Amino acid sequence: MKKPQSSVGLFSNPQQRRFRRSLLAWYDRHRRDLPWRATRDPYRVWLSEIMLQQTRVAAVIEHYQEFLRLFPTIDKLAAAREASVLAAWSGLGYYRRARRLHAAAKIIVREHGEKFPPTAEGLQALPGIGRYTAAAIASIAFDEPVAVVDGNVERVLQRVAGKRLAGEPLWQAANHLLDAKRPGDFNQAMMELGATVCTPRTPGCLTCPVIELCATRGVLAATVKPVRQKKREIHYALNCLNGEVFLVQRARDASLMPGMWELPELASRNGASPSFTLRHSITATDYTVRVWQNAAPSGVDGKWIPMERLGKVALTGLAGKILRKAGMLD
Ligand code: SF4
């Protein structure tokens, strides 16, 4: 491999051109047919990017179209009640994203005449839009030549370079490699390659469009230990009476899922059998969730909610899972 011509570039200029050509030709043939790829409307691109943060593609596909059915335009979203936005977000988790999405929609309508700022810099001034999301929207919806770096792009670049890259040098390398004529497609192609071919554990190098330019052709030797999942047991009371379920609301200033509804938590119980048990994982913790029917603790501040209204309540992901398992929610 020839020496790179720039301190931030991974390749010589001809190699760079080959990389872009090979990657884009592969993307044109093999890209997944995802609903948000059929549009360059910044509202739809933005919504998909926010939903895809920390959420699997399959789960986003389930919620994206329904969210757009409820809020088809930025002004409809801006005018909605927060409780309706959170209820539509139910099942995607990390509800702070939905609150910020709602706040940003109001600013775009009120201060920008319903038009998205067309540059990554302008977009980053909005709530919930960081460097990655701003670059994704600006490149896909407005053709601005700015590179994205997410976990997939980082892995591909490191393997292609054959070395660890982080922080600003990583962003510079991504920007240097970007195809300025098709920035949105190039960014999506890099992410697609990382998601479908250059995967974390078993990269499919034999089908990789850039194998000839890759320094690693496999997994880069690990330098950090994988994070071990913590295990925790947690108990909840599921109280039902006359077609209503007893729920409690999380504090409005809670750091996680503020204002969302859930089942009342119980102290751990020994020697008896719960009504049912399920597993739930949140970031680095695996929970064993034990559910006790008709065991609500006394003196807890909560509300009886009719079962037919549960689908409209902003439930935590775990509360939704428990109620579905109990057959009270579709
Ligand atoms: Fe990743 Fe293998 Fe392609 Fe290199 S050759 S970018 S390691 S899939």
Side-chain angles (χ1 to χ4, degrees):
M1 195 180 289
K2 276 191 210 158
K3 226 176 163 209
Q5 294 179 350
S6 150
S7 59
V8 294
L10 305 179
F11 304 123
S12 66
N13 285 340
Q15 286 171 330
Q16 216 158 252
R17 283 196 290 276
R18 252 174 55 216
F19 186 98
R20 293 173 186 145
R21 223 176 22 243
S22 306
L23 181 69
L24 284 167
W26 168 83
Y27 181 67
D28 289 340
R29 274 198 310 276
H30 297 288
R31 66 177 167 192
R32 288 170 294 174
D33 186 17
L34 302 173
W36 46 90
R37 288 199 173 142
T39 179
R40 294 183 62 195
D41 172 1
Y43 174 59
R44 285 159 189 252
V45 172
W46 169 55
L47 178 65
S48 68
E49 288 297 338
I50 301 292
M51 283 188 168
L52 286 164
Q53 291 168 6
Q54 296 148 315
T55 303
R56 288 172 306 109
V57 168
V60 174
I61 290 174
E62 277 175 33
H63 290 82
Y64 175 77
Q65 303 285 25
E66 178 58 13
F67 195 95
L68 283 171
R69 194 184 65 73
L70 295 168
F71 312 111
T73 56
I74 187 94
D75 56 316
K76 287 268 186 322
L77 177 60
R81 285 170 47 244
E82 185 178 271
S84 312
V85 177
L86 294 180
W89 201 264
S90 189
L92 286 165
Y94 299 97
Y95 287 86
R96 186 172 295 179
R97 292 179 298 171
R99 290 176 198 281
R100 289 186 175 162
L101 188 88
H102 195 207
K106 289 181 183 173
I107 293 172
I108 292 167
V109 168
R110 203 173 52 230
E111 296 174 19
H112 299 272
E114 300 179 18
K115 297 251 179 303
F116 276 76
T119 62
E121 196 185 345
L123 287 160
Q124 266 197 81
L126 293 166
I129 300 189
R131 187 173 181 179
Y132 160 81
T133 308
I137 302 168
S139 62
I140 296 168
F142 300 112
D143 273 336
E144 190 185 10
V146 280
V148 298
V149 176
D150 69 349
N152 283 322
V153 174
E154 179 178 342
R155 187 172 57 256
V156 171
L157 285 175
Q158 292 193 346
R159 286 175 178 171
V160 164
K163 61 182 179 193
R164 301 270 156 205
L165 289 165
E168 204 46 43
L170 177 64
W171 282 89
Q172 286 179 4
N175 269 311
H176 207 255
L177 196 54
L178 181 74
D179 187 315
K181 293 198 197 90
R182 292 179 64 189
D185 284 345
F186 184 88
N187 280 334
Q188 293 188 86
M190 286 290 281
M191 293 189 276
E192 186 87 344
L193 187 70
T196 63
V197 177
C198 193
T199 51
R201 293 211 181 95
T202 47
C205 301
L206 292 178
T207 60
C208 178
V210 294
I211 185 169
E212 284 178 25
L213 293 156
C214 179
T216 309
R217 298 181 189 179
V219 178
L220 199 59
T223 55
V224 283
K225 285 189 186 163
V227 180
R228 284 194 56 179
Q229 288 289 106
K230 281 184 274 173
K231 297 203 182 307
R232 249 198 87 194
E233 190 168 292
I234 192 162
H235 299 252
Y236 284 104
L238 175 57
N239 268 40
C240 316
L241 198 63
N242 302 329
E244 296 184 323
V245 184
F246 188 73
L247 297 179
V248 293
Q249 190 171 25
R250 294 177 67 83
R252 289 240 149 232
D253 58 356
S255 59
L256 285 174
M257 301 171 280
M260 310 293 298
W261 291 85
E262 61 186 356
L263 300 167
E265 196 176 332
L266 294 170
S268 84
R269 323 183 128 209
N270 295 321
S273 301
S275 307
F276 59 86
T277 297
L278 51 85
R279 313 248 169 234
H280 190 67
S281 294
I282 300 178
T283 51
T285 308
D286 287 336
Y287 290 93
T288 300
V289 182
R290 307 216 186 275
V291 181
W292 304 79
Q293 271 173 315
N294 300 323
S298 58
V300 172
D301 217 9
K303 207 166 163 184
W304 288 94
I305 312 268
M307 279 184 209
E308 65 274 13
R309 282 208 53 236
L310 288 174
K312 297 199 170 11
V313 174
L315 298 167
T316 65
L318 177 54
K321 202 166 173 178
I322 294 170
L323 291 168
R324 272 191 291 278
K325 175 133 186 177
M328 295 172 188
L329 189 66
D330 292 335

